[in-house]
Amino acid sequence: MAKKTTNYFEYFNSIVSVAVEEAQFLENMCKDYDANKLEQNKKDIHELENKADTIRHELLEKLMKEFLPPFDHEDINELVEKLDSMCDELDDIVLKMYIYNVEKLRPGINDNLATLTQCVIKTQDLVKALENHRKTDMNKLLMFVNDYEEKGDDAYVASTRDLYVNETDPVLINKWTEIYREIEEAYDACEEVAEIVRKLVVKNS
């Protein structure tokens, strides 16, 4: 009986699906924001992040034992690490909100998080398409992720400027500077995944 090979694409999809769950969790949490639920929300999203870690560890263990994965070992490792980083960044947004005990959300935050969710979903679409990249318009999917990441950049600039122009409480300025930066890093993590996918497509076309 032939040895069953690992379906790496299934693992990639599983990790990026966790990121989508996290982004949607964060968005919904802030739509109906309740500071009294911050501690539980922190625990709930961290459970999702742990789920991504488990998938990552399992995949990397399999990678060490296989000689002919679909891509180079180092490229798979890099993609998995970037996918895991995306999950980490989403988890860190809620962690920062918990650490700083955010009692009230600032204007525009819900729109920003809705855009972040769409960025993560587009990244998921891109990762899912990787298995059949020769039959897919990957450039179009890459552009979608890039477009949403640019929207995230614009939101970061606008939100941070508004904070420094209109907020007078230095404590709140410090808190939200860090939170806005964390949200921006989640957008950047999506772009980093897209760049790894772009490299994989170029190398394996």
Side-chain angles (χ1 to χ4, degrees), residues 49-97:
E49 193 273 330
N50 283 338
K51 179 179 173 183
D53 279 341
T54 299
I55 298 168
R56 167 181 165 269
H57 288 308
E58 184 177 327
L59 176 55
L60 293 179
E61 282 184 10
K62 290 179 181 295
L63 180 63
M64 288 190 293
K65 300 173 184 176
E66 291 194 9
F67 294 103
L68 293 173
F71 306 119
D72 290 343
H73 283 72
E74 60 268 25
D75 291 334
I76 291 175
N77 185 75
E78 188 175 14
L79 176 58
V80 171
E81 293 300 334
K82 293 300 183 183
L83 288 169
D84 187 61
S85 291
M86 185 165 60
C87 295
D88 290 343
E89 296 296 350
L90 291 160
D91 177 50
D92 285 346
I93 295 170
V94 180
L95 179 61
K96 284 283 174 68
M97 294 175 76

Side-chain angles (χ1 to χ4, degrees), residues 15-186:
I15 299 174
V16 76
S17 293
V18 173
V20 172
E21 285 186 74
E22 287 181 281
Q24 292 172 336
F25 177 91
L26 175 60
E27 182 184 354
N28 291 331
M29 180 190 97
C30 289
K31 279 180 182 177
D32 187 23
Y33 189 72
D34 183 348
N36 294 319
K37 296 179 181 178
L38 263 177
E39 184 169 6
Q40 185 60 50
N41 288 330
K42 174 184 70 73
K43 292 177 181 178
D44 289 344
I45 197 169
H46 193 60
E47 284 184 10
L48 290 173
E49 193 273 330
N50 283 338
K51 179 179 173 183
D53 279 341
T54 299
I55 298 168
R56 167 181 165 269
H57 288 308
E58 184 177 327
L59 176 55
L60 293 179
E61 282 184 10
K62 290 179 181 295
L63 180 63
M64 288 190 293
K65 300 173 184 176
E66 291 194 9
F67 294 103
L68 293 173
F71 306 119
D72 290 343
H73 283 72
E74 60 268 25
D75 291 334
I76 291 175
N77 185 75
E78 188 175 14
L79 176 58
V80 171
E81 293 300 334
K82 293 300 183 183
L83 288 169
D84 187 61
S85 291
M86 185 165 60
C87 295
D88 290 343
E89 296 296 350
L90 291 160
D91 177 50
D92 285 346
I93 295 170
V94 180
L95 179 61
K96 284 283 174 68
M97 294 175 76
Y98 171 75
I99 289 172
Y100 294 135
N101 191 32
V102 172
E103 296 178 350
K104 182 180 178 182
L105 299 184
R106 289 188 62 80
I109 189 71
N110 284 311
D111 289 341
N112 194 350
L113 294 177
T115 302
L116 177 58
T117 297
Q118 290 306 308
C119 188
V120 176
I121 288 172
K122 292 301 180 184
T123 305
Q124 179 188 42
D125 292 342
L126 180 64
V127 172
K128 283 184 173 181
L130 187 56
E131 184 172 10
N132 296 306
H133 66 273
R134 292 183 179 86
K135 299 178 181 179
T136 308
D137 188 349
M138 297 298 286
N139 283 330
K140 184 176 181 180
L141 294 174
L142 286 160
M143 286 177 60
F144 280 144
V145 175
N146 185 65
D147 286 346
Y148 275 103
E149 194 276 333
E150 288 183 359
K151 289 178 182 178
D153 284 343
D154 292 342
Y156 173 70
V157 171
S159 298
T160 305
R161 175 172 170 75
D162 176 74
L163 177 65
Y164 280 84
V165 169
N166 296 310
E167 183 56 65
T168 58
D169 185 339
V171 174
L172 287 178
I173 290 174
N174 287 334
K175 285 182 180 182
W176 281 97
T177 296
E178 290 298 315
I179 292 168
Y180 287 147
R181 185 178 294 120
E182 201 66 61
I183 294 171
E184 168 64 7
E185 288 178 1

